[in-house]
mmCIF file of all heavy atoms in Angstrom:
data_model
loop_
_atom_site.group_PDB
_atom_site.id
_atom_site.type_symbol
_atom_site.label_atom_id
_atom_site.label_comp_id
_atom_site.label_asym_id
_atom_site.label_seq_id
_atom_site.Cartn_x
_atom_site.Cartn_y
_atom_site.Cartn_z
ATOM 1 N N LEU U 365 43.374 -28.192 10.103
ATOM 2 C CA LEU U 365 43.869 -27.659 11.372
ATOM 3 C C LEU U 365 42.782 -26.815 12.043
ATOM 4 O O LEU U 365 42.585 -26.890 13.264
ATOM 5 C CB LEU U 365 45.125 -26.820 11.132
ATOM 6 C CG LEU U 365 45.791 -26.185 12.361
ATOM 7 C CD1 LEU U 365 46.281 -27.257 13.324
ATOM 8 C CD2 LEU U 365 46.945 -25.283 11.928
ATOM 9 N N TYR U 366 42.070 -26.031 11.249
ATOM 10 C CA TYR U 366 40.999 -25.212 11.814
ATOM 11 C C TYR U 366 39.897 -26.098 12.404
ATOM 12 O O TYR U 366 39.395 -25.827 13.501
ATOM 13 C CB TYR U 366 40.394 -24.284 10.757
ATOM 14 C CG TYR U 366 39.117 -23.635 11.250
ATOM 15 C CD1 TYR U 366 39.172 -22.586 12.170
ATOM 16 C CD2 TYR U 366 37.872 -24.102 10.839
ATOM 17 C CE1 TYR U 366 37.992 -22.017 12.661
ATOM 18 C CE2 TYR U 366 36.698 -23.530 11.322
ATOM 19 C CZ TYR U 366 36.766 -22.490 12.241
ATOM 20 O OH TYR U 366 35.613 -21.945 12.738
ATOM 21 N N GLU U 367 39.494 -27.141 11.709
ATOM 22 C CA GLU U 367 38.402 -27.982 12.199
ATOM 23 C C GLU U 367 38.759 -28.634 13.526
ATOM 24 O O GLU U 367 37.909 -28.740 14.418
ATOM 25 C CB GLU U 367 38.041 -29.039 11.155
ATOM 26 C CG GLU U 367 37.291 -28.490 9.946
ATOM 27 C CD GLU U 367 35.989 -27.800 10.320
ATOM 28 O OE1 GLU U 367 35.315 -28.259 11.278
ATOM 29 O OE2 GLU U 367 35.620 -26.811 9.658
ATOM 30 N N ARG U 368 40.017 -29.073 13.676
ATOM 31 C CA ARG U 368 40.423 -29.648 14.962
ATOM 32 C C ARG U 368 40.412 -28.571 16.051
ATOM 33 O O ARG U 368 39.999 -28.817 17.192
ATOM 34 C CB ARG U 368 41.803 -30.283 14.850
ATOM 35 C CG ARG U 368 41.845 -31.553 14.009
ATOM 36 C CD ARG U 368 43.168 -32.286 14.163
ATOM 37 N NE ARG U 368 44.300 -31.497 13.665
ATOM 38 C CZ ARG U 368 44.722 -31.505 12.405
ATOM 39 N NH1 ARG U 368 44.087 -32.242 11.494
ATOM 40 N NH2 ARG U 368 45.771 -30.787 12.038
ATOM 41 N N THR U 369 40.861 -27.380 15.691
ATOM 42 C CA THR U 369 40.873 -26.273 16.649
ATOM 43 C C THR U 369 39.447 -25.905 17.032
ATOM 44 O O THR U 369 39.150 -25.648 18.209
ATOM 45 C CB THR U 369 41.591 -25.052 16.040
ATOM 46 O OG1 THR U 369 42.907 -25.431 15.615
ATOM 47 C CG2 THR U 369 41.691 -23.926 17.046
ATOM 48 N N ARG U 370 38.567 -25.868 16.056
ATOM 49 C CA ARG U 370 37.163 -25.524 16.303
ATOM 50 C C ARG U 370 36.527 -26.484 17.305
ATOM 51 O O ARG U 370 35.797 -26.067 18.213
ATOM 52 C CB ARG U 370 36.416 -25.563 14.964
ATOM 53 C CG ARG U 370 34.922 -25.287 15.051
ATOM 54 C CD ARG U 370 34.263 -25.528 13.694
ATOM 55 N NE ARG U 370 32.825 -25.316 13.757
ATOM 56 C CZ ARG U 370 32.221 -24.158 13.619
ATOM 57 N NH1 ARG U 370 32.952 -23.080 13.382
ATOM 58 N NH2 ARG U 370 30.919 -24.051 13.709
ATOM 59 N N LYS U 371 36.789 -27.771 17.140
ATOM 60 C CA LYS U 371 36.244 -28.758 18.069
ATOM 61 C C LYS U 371 36.773 -28.534 19.477
ATOM 62 O O LYS U 371 36.042 -28.702 20.462
ATOM 63 C CB LYS U 371 36.593 -30.170 17.584
ATOM 64 C CG LYS U 371 35.854 -30.585 16.320
ATOM 65 C CD LYS U 371 36.265 -31.980 15.872
ATOM 66 C CE LYS U 371 35.546 -32.375 14.576
ATOM 67 N NZ LYS U 371 35.992 -33.709 14.092
ATOM 68 N N PHE U 372 38.028 -28.161 19.585
ATOM 69 C CA PHE U 372 38.635 -27.927 20.897
ATOM 70 C C PHE U 372 38.012 -26.723 21.592
ATOM 71 O O PHE U 372 37.710 -26.770 22.789
ATOM 72 C CB PHE U 372 40.148 -27.708 20.754
ATOM 73 C CG PHE U 372 40.821 -27.279 22.022
ATOM 74 C CD1 PHE U 372 41.269 -28.211 22.938
ATOM 75 C CD2 PHE U 372 41.004 -25.929 22.316
ATOM 76 C CE1 PHE U 372 41.883 -27.819 24.126
ATOM 77 C CE2 PHE U 372 41.617 -25.521 23.491
ATOM 78 C CZ PHE U 372 42.057 -26.465 24.397
ATOM 79 N N VAL U 373 37.809 -25.621 20.873
ATOM 80 C CA VAL U 373 37.366 -24.396 21.535
ATOM 81 C C VAL U 373 35.880 -24.421 21.869
ATOM 82 O O VAL U 373 35.420 -23.611 22.680
ATOM 83 C CB VAL U 373 37.703 -23.138 20.697
ATOM 84 C CG1 VAL U 373 39.193 -23.076 20.410
ATOM 85 C CG2 VAL U 373 36.891 -23.071 19.404
ATOM 86 N N TRP U 374 35.094 -25.344 21.284
ATOM 87 C CA TRP U 374 33.662 -25.376 21.539
ATOM 88 C C TRP U 374 33.286 -26.493 22.524
ATOM 89 O O TRP U 374 32.177 -27.012 22.527
ATOM 90 C CB TRP U 374 32.866 -25.504 20.246
ATOM 91 C CG TRP U 374 31.443 -25.021 20.399
ATOM 92 C CD1 TRP U 374 30.323 -25.790 20.590
ATOM 93 C CD2 TRP U 374 30.988 -23.668 20.424
ATOM 94 N NE1 TRP U 374 29.213 -24.993 20.720
ATOM 95 C CE2 TRP U 374 29.591 -23.674 20.614
ATOM 96 C CE3 TRP U 374 31.635 -22.425 20.287
ATOM 97 C CZ2 TRP U 374 28.817 -22.514 20.690
ATOM 98 C CZ3 TRP U 374 30.869 -21.276 20.339
ATOM 99 C CH2 TRP U 374 29.484 -21.317 20.548
ATOM 100 N N ILE U 375 34.188 -26.881 23.359
ATOM 101 C CA ILE U 375 33.911 -27.803 24.457
ATOM 102 C C ILE U 375 34.662 -27.302 25.689
ATOM 103 O O ILE U 375 35.436 -26.348 25.620
ATOM 104 C CB ILE U 375 34.335 -29.259 24.131
ATOM 105 C CG1 ILE U 375 35.814 -29.321 23.750
ATOM 106 C CG2 ILE U 375 33.462 -29.858 23.030
ATOM 107 C CD1 ILE U 375 36.336 -30.742 23.546
ATOM 108 N N GLU U 376 34.430 -27.984 26.813
ATOM 109 C CA GLU U 376 34.988 -27.512 28.083
ATOM 110 C C GLU U 376 36.499 -27.609 28.176
ATOM 111 O O GLU U 376 37.090 -27.112 29.150
ATOM 112 C CB GLU U 376 34.331 -28.263 29.244
ATOM 113 C CG GLU U 376 32.915 -27.821 29.557
ATOM 114 C CD GLU U 376 31.849 -28.409 28.645
ATOM 115 O OE1 GLU U 376 32.223 -29.155 27.715
ATOM 116 O OE2 GLU U 376 30.662 -28.130 28.854
ATOM 117 N N LYS U 377 37.173 -28.206 27.191
ATOM 118 C CA LYS U 377 38.632 -28.161 27.180
ATOM 119 C C LYS U 377 39.127 -26.725 27.016
ATOM 120 O O LYS U 377 40.244 -26.406 27.437
ATOM 121 C CB LYS U 377 39.187 -29.053 26.060
ATOM 122 C CG LYS U 377 39.025 -30.541 26.319
ATOM 123 C CD LYS U 377 39.651 -31.370 25.197
ATOM 124 C CE LYS U 377 39.489 -32.858 25.481
ATOM 125 N NZ LYS U 377 40.095 -33.696 24.409
ATOM 126 N N ASN U 378 38.328 -25.902 26.371
ATOM 127 C CA ASN U 378 38.601 -24.472 26.330
ATOM 128 C C ASN U 378 38.139 -23.892 27.665
ATOM 129 O O ASN U 378 36.948 -23.925 27.986
ATOM 130 C CB ASN U 378 37.831 -23.826 25.174
ATOM 131 C CG ASN U 378 37.906 -22.305 25.186
ATOM 132 O OD1 ASN U 378 38.684 -21.700 25.919
ATOM 133 N ND2 ASN U 378 37.076 -21.683 24.371
ATOM 134 N N PRO U 379 39.034 -23.344 28.485
ATOM 135 C CA PRO U 379 38.640 -22.890 29.828
ATOM 136 C C PRO U 379 37.616 -21.767 29.836
ATOM 137 O O PRO U 379 37.017 -21.493 30.877
ATOM 138 C CB PRO U 379 39.961 -22.436 30.448
ATOM 139 C CG PRO U 379 40.878 -22.188 29.296
ATOM 140 C CD PRO U 379 40.476 -23.158 28.241
ATOM 141 N N TRP U 380 37.385 -21.124 28.696
ATOM 142 C CA TRP U 380 36.410 -20.037 28.632
ATOM 143 C C TRP U 380 35.165 -20.430 27.849
ATOM 144 O O TRP U 380 34.410 -19.578 27.390
ATOM 145 C CB TRP U 380 37.060 -18.780 28.040
ATOM 146 C CG TRP U 380 38.144 -18.264 28.938
ATOM 147 C CD1 TRP U 380 39.493 -18.375 28.752
ATOM 148 C CD2 TRP U 380 37.964 -17.587 30.186
ATOM 149 N NE1 TRP U 380 40.173 -17.810 29.807
ATOM 150 C CE2 TRP U 380 39.262 -17.312 30.694
ATOM 151 C CE3 TRP U 380 36.845 -17.183 30.923
ATOM 152 C CZ2 TRP U 380 39.459 -16.663 31.910
ATOM 153 C CZ3 TRP U 380 37.043 -16.533 32.123
ATOM 154 C CH2 TRP U 380 38.333 -16.273 32.605
#
Side-chain angles (χ1 to χ4, degrees):
L365 180 63
Y366 169 76
E367 287 301 325
R368 290 191 296 272
T369 305
R370 177 187 178 86
K371 290 179 182 177
F372 172 87
V373 303
W374 202 260
I375 56 174
E376 285 80 358
K377 289 182 179 180
N378 172 11
W380 295 105

